Structures are given as structure tokens and as C-alpha cells.
Amino acid sequence: MVKRVASESEKVALSGLLHDVGKFSQRVGNEQRWRHEAFTEAFLHAFSEKLGEEAERIIAMAALPHKQATDRESLCVKLADWLASAERRREVQPQIAPERAALIAIQSQVQLNKPLHSPVYVPLHPFTLSEDAFFPTEQSQVGVDDYSRAWDEFAERVRSLPAPTPFRVWLTLLQVYTHAIPSATPWEREPEKRTVPDISLFHHARLTAAIASCLAATSESDLPTDDLLQLRDLLSRFDEPDFVEQLKQEAVAQKPLCLLVRGDVAGIQSWLYRIARAEGEEHRRTAKRLRGRSFYLVLLTQAIAEWLCRKAQVPPCNIIFCGGGVFDVLLPASAERQIKEWRKELDDWLLSEFHGDLQVNMAWVSLSATDFYDFGSVSQRITAELELSKTKALAGRLDSDS
């Protein structure tokens, strides 16, 4: 029996998930020029009953300024925020106020064999499949009332939620209402320090929650609080010109913090299209069966990713990607001691259910603080590890049987 997500890890993850919700309300109106942490605290206090018995602790961790974090749980949240922010990039660009900047659509940032065109932007609407909300436009600024309208709808939806609100509901709610809000905007006075607004508030919050849960799920013996304090002092210097080079020189920044696990379902095509051959009367419903099997594969991939999260006792926000028969899951670094056992358990189940027709190739790499600032190298490493694992299908099970 798989245990439920550990309450401590989930509490820290929820603080990480909600730590920047104040940026949403801040952009509705900020005549007092408050920092977004003040808006986060005000929002969470207003809806504290939705946070459960640990509401005050969750609010304190979410709204605490980074450099004031000294206890282990708060350090997990603040370090996770800094590490998740490593995804941001800066370049010279026009200055835009936070309440007017639109989110750059990622499609317009993908460069193949042609130069990049002018970026296109995601309309600020709740997530729906309507044409107005789904397709990018050339408008680099949102409408004057867009934030106010979206915030009112978001707050009304929060009021209607049960108390306490489950973690997965918070995760879905933020995806619906903050997927089109930029996490950071080019508001800075110095042109060279302006952030490219191409990461959504939802994706930043989800990654922060995932990293925070990994840190919180790691024991004191594996990751001493003193190491977290050292990392706090190191990461607080992110604005310095040679910050990344300094980080590479520090031993504590090379220690494993998380484990990135990638899974790839193998045998999809042969399993999926086998039904295209006539099987008695069943061949008359081939199209319907193809759709059914395709949907089953989507559910299978998602189920395996969620199963790994439950095994590691981290919440579903730790599924970083899941689609096309591939998943990326962020687990605590300590999970490396058990991942081979979990892989064997999964191989056994797949073999009993699909008799070798479907398999899951798995690979993993450990992530240090430095790795978050060079994720291209991480991607290359795990891709190479996954290719190697494809040459050793069911190796864990064969080793155990020999």
C-alpha cells in the first residue's frame, strides 16, 4: 500500500505554490506601492480557512522575506523560489509596468532553421479552449481592466471552495487563472536588468512548490540546516555579475538537492496499432478502439508519474512534464536509494499486465543548486542516461531473477 503524501512536505509545497499569489492582486491596484509579499499575506489571511489547521504556519512561510528565513521549513520555500527563478533571463528591452506586461507565448521563442520573428503574447484570460483565450496575439500589453476582471473571478472561485481546500484543487485553480500571467516583468529602471516575461506565474509557482517539497522531504542528516543557511546566503547574491561562477566554486552548491526522473513508455506503436488487423467482428470498431487505447496510454503515463510521487511522498506538483508517453518527475535526492526498487516493482507490474508489449524505460540524474542555473546541461545528461537505459530494458528485473 502506497502512503499518502507526507503532511510536512505538502504543507511546505503549498506555501511554495502560493508564495507569489500576491503578484496577481498587486497588479490590480497598488497605489501604496506595497511589495508582493504583503499582498500574498493579505490574500492568505483573507482565505485562511481554506488552508486548514496549519494556516498560520503556511502564511508565515509564504510571505516571509527571503533573507529573514532561518528555520528549516521557511528555508525550503525561499531556496526553492530562488532556484525556480533561475529559469529567468534578462535582456535590454522596453520598460513595461507589471500591471500591463503580457506573457510571451513560448512558441514564438522556439528557433529552428529560421531567425526568430517578433514575439506573440498570451491573452490574459482564465484557461479555456475558446479562440479568444487560447491563441496568441501581437498585443504586448494587457488591457487596463484585464487583471481586475481576472482577479475578481479568481477570488470568487476561491470563496466557493471547500474548507480546507485540497492541494490538488489549489494547483488546478492556479493553472486556470495564472497560466497567462507573467511571473516576472520588465519593470526595472536599468535596461540590462529587465526580465523577459516568458515564464507564467503558474509554472514558476508549481516548480517552486516541487523543489520546496523535495527539500522538505529530505532528512537533516542528508541535508543539514546549516547547508540550507549557506545556500540562502549564496543565492541571495544572484544579482552579482559573476554569480554563477561564484556558485560553481562553493562545495555546498554541488550537493544533491533533488532527483530528476524521466520515464519513457516503450512499445507504444506496436501495441496501439495491433488492433488495426482484423480480429473477428471487432475490426468494425477499429477507430473507436484506437481512440480508447490512445486515451489509455495517456492515463497510464500519468498514473505511473503519480505513483512515483506517492512512493516518494511528494505532491502532484512534482510532475514537471507528462505527455506523449514521457514524464519528468522531481523527487527528493534521497529517493535515489529506492528508485531501483521502485523501477523493479513497476517492471513486474507492466510485465504481468502487458507481457512485454509495453515497458517503461527510466533514467535519473541528481540536481545540485548549480544545476538549476545550467539546465541545458541537465537536459543533455538525462537524455543520454535515458538512451542508455533503452539498451537495458527490464535490466532490474533480470538482475533480481539471476
Side-chain angles (χ1 to χ4, degrees):
M1 177 67 74
V2 177
K3 295 181 180 179
R4 184 188 177 276
V5 171
S7 59
E8 288 301 307
S9 178
E10 187 173 288
K11 177 177 66 177
V12 172
L14 184 57
S15 295
L17 187 68
L18 298 174
H19 80 285
D20 267 351
V21 70
K23 288 186 177 181
F24 194 172
S25 55
Q26 181 189 40
R27 296 173 192 174
V28 174
N30 188 14
E31 291 79 9
Q32 299 89 354
R33 311 312 298 173
W34 289 354
R35 293 177 60 84
H36 71 269
E37 292 92 344
F39 283 92
T40 294
E41 185 174 13
F43 169 81
L44 295 180
H45 273 302
F47 295 102
S48 59
E49 75 279 3
K50 311 293 184 183
L51 302 174
E53 296 179 356
E54 296 282 352
E56 289 303 317
R57 184 63 186 140
I58 291 171
I59 295 170
M61 287 189 289
L64 185 70
H66 289 71
K67 294 182 181 180
Q68 294 181 20
T70 55
D71 65 280
R72 186 175 182 84
E73 290 181 338
S74 297
L75 285 167
C76 290
V77 175
K78 300 311 171 183
L79 291 178
D81 185 19
W82 268 326
L83 293 172
S85 298
E87 67 206 356
R88 297 173 186 165
R89 57 193 176 91
R90 294 174 171 179
E91 63 182 38
V92 176
Q93 59 189 303
Q95 184 181 32
I96 304 177
E99 64 272 15
R100 296 304 304 276
L103 177 69
I104 296 177
I106 195 66
Q107 301 95 317
S108 64
Q109 301 294 290
V110 177
Q111 183 172 355
L112 298 176
N113 58 350
K114 295 182 179 179
L116 290 175
H117 296 289
S118 298
V120 291
Y121 301 86
V122 181
L124 206 168
H125 292 291
F127 184 77
T128 67
L129 296 182
S130 65
E131 184 174 345
D132 289 344
F134 195 74
F135 289 99
T137 72
E138 296 182 353
Q139 300 298 317
S140 62
Q141 297 190 22
V142 302
V144 175
D145 298 324
D146 285 354
Y147 266 106
S148 177
R149 192 162 42 243
W151 174 258
D152 289 344
E153 187 175 336
F154 171 73
E156 187 60 34
R157 184 60 60 90
V158 174
R159 290 188 189 95
S160 69
L161 295 176
T165 301
F167 182 92
R168 194 182 294 268
V169 175
W170 280 114
L171 186 64
T172 303
L173 191 72
L174 287 183
Q175 182 175 18
V176 170
Y177 287 98
T178 66
H179 79 283
I181 295 175
S183 171
T185 60
W187 60 269
E188 293 89 347
R189 292 181 180 177
E190 303 90 338
E192 67 280 359
K193 290 188 176 182
R194 292 171 187 165
T195 305
V196 179
D198 59 352
I199 303 294
S200 76
L201 186 61
F202 167 70
H203 286 96
H204 171 70
R206 185 184 66 174
L207 183 56
T208 299
I211 299 171
S213 71
C214 288
L215 299 179
T218 305
S219 67
E220 174 73 23
S221 59
D222 287 329
L223 184 62
T225 302
D226 285 345
D227 286 357
L228 298 180
L229 288 167
Q230 287 184 57
L231 283 173
R232 179 202 63 185
D233 295 338
L234 285 171
L235 299 183
S236 67
R237 305 203 295 262
F238 66 90
D239 256 343
E240 296 181 7
D242 57 347
F243 165 70
V244 175
E245 292 304 315
Q246 290 182 39
L247 202 62
K248 291 178 180 178
Q249 305 304 317
E250 300 291 341
V252 71
Q254 316 312 318
K255 291 187 176 182
L257 301 178
C258 307
L259 190 72
L260 179 63
V261 180
R262 176 166 295 175
D264 185 3
V265 181
I268 288 179
Q269 287 192 336
S270 59
W271 183 81
L272 187 63
Y273 292 110
R274 182 175 302 146
I275 61 172
R277 298 193 296 271
E279 300 176 3
E281 292 298 317
E282 294 296 324
H283 73 279
R284 298 179 182 177
R285 298 196 297 272
T286 296
K288 184 180 292 186
R289 294 175 67 206
L290 276 171
R291 290 195 297 272
R293 285 203 169 196
S294 296
F295 183 57
Y296 181 89
L297 285 169
V298 172
L299 294 180
L300 177 66
T301 310
Q302 183 73 30
I304 294 171
E306 299 232 9
W307 175 77
L308 281 172
C309 287
R310 292 196 299 274
K311 280 288 192 180
Q313 298 190 19
V314 293
C317 61
N318 287 56
I319 302 174
I320 305 303
F321 173 81
C322 188
V326 177
F327 61 81
D328 285 345
V329 178
L330 201 63
L331 304 181
S334 56
E336 190 166 11
R337 293 193 288 263
Q338 298 170 284
I339 191 70
K340 290 184 179 179
E341 177 186 335
W342 298 341
R343 182 180 62 179
K344 180 187 177 299
E345 188 176 342
L346 178 61
D347 286 344
D348 288 345
W349 181 82
L350 289 169
L351 198 59
S352 67
E353 290 292 321
F354 302 102
H355 309 290
D357 290 338
L358 287 179
Q359 303 167 18
V360 174
N361 298 307
M362 282 176 54
W364 51 87
V365 295
S366 60
L367 302 181
S368 66
T370 304
D371 288 323
F372 284 92
Y373 293 87
D374 185 16
F375 217 78
S377 296
V378 173
S379 180
Q380 292 175 359
R381 281 165 48 203
I382 198 165
T383 298
E385 289 292 330
L386 185 62
E387 289 303 310
L388 182 61
S389 75
K390 291 178 181 179
T391 68
K392 303 176 181 180
L394 298 176
R397 192 173 191 282
L398 292 174
D399 289 343
S400 66
D401 290 344
S402 58

